[in-house]
Amino acid sequence: MATVAQWVEGARPRTLPNAIAPVVAGSGAAASADLFRPLPAVLALVVAIGMIIGVNFANDYSDGIRGTDDERVGPMRLVGSRTASPEAVRTAAFVSLGIGALAGIVLLAVSGAWWLLLVGAVCLAGAWFYTGGSSPYGYRGLGEIAVFLFFGPIAVLGTEYTQSGRASGLGIGASVGVGLLSCAVLVANNLRDVPSDTVAGKRTLAVMLGERDTRVLYAALVVIPLGMSLVLSLRAPWALLGLVALVVLVPALRRVLGGARGPALIPVLRDTGLALLVWGVGTAIGLAVVAA
C-alpha cells in the first residue's frame, strides 16, 4: 500500500501554482475595481485546488492503466509504479474533483452566478477526458489548448466574475498571461517525456512538433506574458511587478534552449511553476494598487 508521502507525491503538489495563480490574478482584477470579496476568493481557491489534484490523480489512473507510465523519467506515478491500485487512485480522483465541484456550487450560491454551472460541468469533463475515456484529447495534441482555457480565461475571469459580477480588460490581460505560463508548464513536462510518450503512442503536441520546435514554443509561452505585463502597465503601472518572474524564468529558458533532456528538464518544471506563481501574484498586486 502507498504511504502518505507517496499519496502526496502522487497528488503532484508542484502543480499547485497552476491552481493558485489564476485565483490570485482574478482576485487582483476584481480588486482593481475595489470589488474584491474574500469568501468567493477562498471558495474559488478550493475549487481550483480540488480540480488540479483531481486531474493529477485522474491522469495517474488513466495513463497507468494504459501502460503509458511504465517507463517514466519524471516523478513517481502511483498506478504506473504499482504503488497503489488503479481503483484507489480513481477514487482519489473522484473525491478531489467532488470536493472542487461542491466548493463550486457553494461559490455559485454565494455569488449568484448560476449560469457558471455549465462552465463547471465542462471543466469536470475536461479534467477526466484529458487522459481518460476511449479517445483522450491529451493524446491528440490538444492538452495545451485545454490548459490555456481552463487555467487562463476560465479560472481567472471566473474568479473575477464571482467577486465583481464582470470580466474586465485587466482581467482578460491577466488571464492570457496566466494561461500561457500554465501551458509552458505542460510543454516543459511533455518535452521531458517525448521519448517515452513516443514509444507509448501518446501523441502530445511536443511529440507532434518534435523537440526543436517544442523548445521554441516553450520560449514563446514564457516570453509573451512578460510582454503582457508591459501592456497591463499602461492601465496599472504596478503590473510591472510581474516582470520579477524573469528571475526564475531565465535559468529555465537556458536549460530548454540549451538542449537539456530527460531528468535535466525536471528543474524547468519547478522553475516554470514558480514563475507562474510569481507572475500571478505580482500582477495581482499591481492591479489591486489601481483601486488604492
Side-chain angles (χ1 to χ4, degrees):
M1 292 183 63
T3 65
V4 172
Q6 288 170 328
W7 276 106
V8 170
E9 184 177 357
R12 302 178 69 188
R14 287 186 178 180
T15 63
L16 288 179
N18 293 70
I20 298 170
V23 176
V24 172
S27 296
S32 69
D34 202 20
L35 294 171
F36 170 71
R37 296 173 62 197
L39 179 56
V42 171
L43 289 169
L45 185 60
V46 175
V47 172
I49 292 175
M51 290 293 292
I52 200 162
I53 292 177
V55 77
N56 287 340
F57 281 134
N59 292 346
D60 192 309
Y61 166 76
S62 297
D63 282 343
I65 62 174
R66 282 190 172 88
T68 307
D69 288 337
D70 287 351
E71 300 292 335
R72 278 190 60 78
V73 176
M76 178 207 70
R77 290 293 182 93
L78 292 164
V79 176
S81 66
R82 312 298 191 270
T83 304
S85 70
E87 294 76 15
V89 176
R90 182 181 59 194
T91 298
F94 288 162
V95 169
S96 299
L97 293 174
I99 290 172
L102 181 59
I105 291 173
V106 177
L107 174 60
L108 298 186
V110 169
S111 65
W114 285 106
W115 67 272
L116 287 174
L117 191 62
L118 178 60
V119 176
V122 172
C123 290
L124 285 171
W128 181 256
F129 291 108
Y130 174 56
T131 56
S134 60
S135 184
Y137 65 85
Y139 281 50
R140 292 183 289 166
L142 299 174
E144 283 75 10
I145 294 175
V147 165
F148 174 78
L149 291 175
F150 290 135
F151 293 102
I154 290 177
V156 175
L157 298 179
T159 298
E160 180 185 15
Y161 189 89
T162 53
Q163 293 180 43
S164 66
R166 65 171 196 163
S168 66
L170 291 176
I172 292 171
S175 75
V176 171
V178 169
L180 292 176
L181 284 168
S182 293
C183 281
V185 175
L186 178 60
V187 167
N189 180 81
N190 290 344
L191 174 62
R192 180 200 64 201
D193 292 342
V194 164
S196 59
D197 284 345
T198 301
V199 171
K202 185 176 182 179
R203 289 181 56 77
T204 63
L205 184 59
V207 170
M208 293 178 179
L209 291 177
E211 287 194 17
R212 185 188 65 178
D213 289 345
T214 300
R215 295 177 192 278
V216 174
L217 174 62
Y218 174 85
L221 291 173
V222 299
V223 168
I224 293 174
L226 302 177
M228 185 57 67
S229 294
L230 300 178
V231 174
L232 290 171
S233 72
L234 298 176
R235 280 273 316 278
W238 282 95
L240 291 174
L241 284 172
L243 296 178
V244 175
L246 265 171
V247 175
V248 285
L249 279 177
V250 168
L253 268 172
R254 284 178 177 170
R255 282 181 180 268
V256 172
L257 297 181
R261 290 183 173 183
L265 285 168
I266 293 176
V268 174
L269 273 75
R270 176 201 64 208
D271 292 346
T272 309
L274 180 58
L276 166 61
L277 186 59
V278 171
W279 193 89
V281 171
T283 300
I285 293 172
L287 299 184
V289 170
V290 173

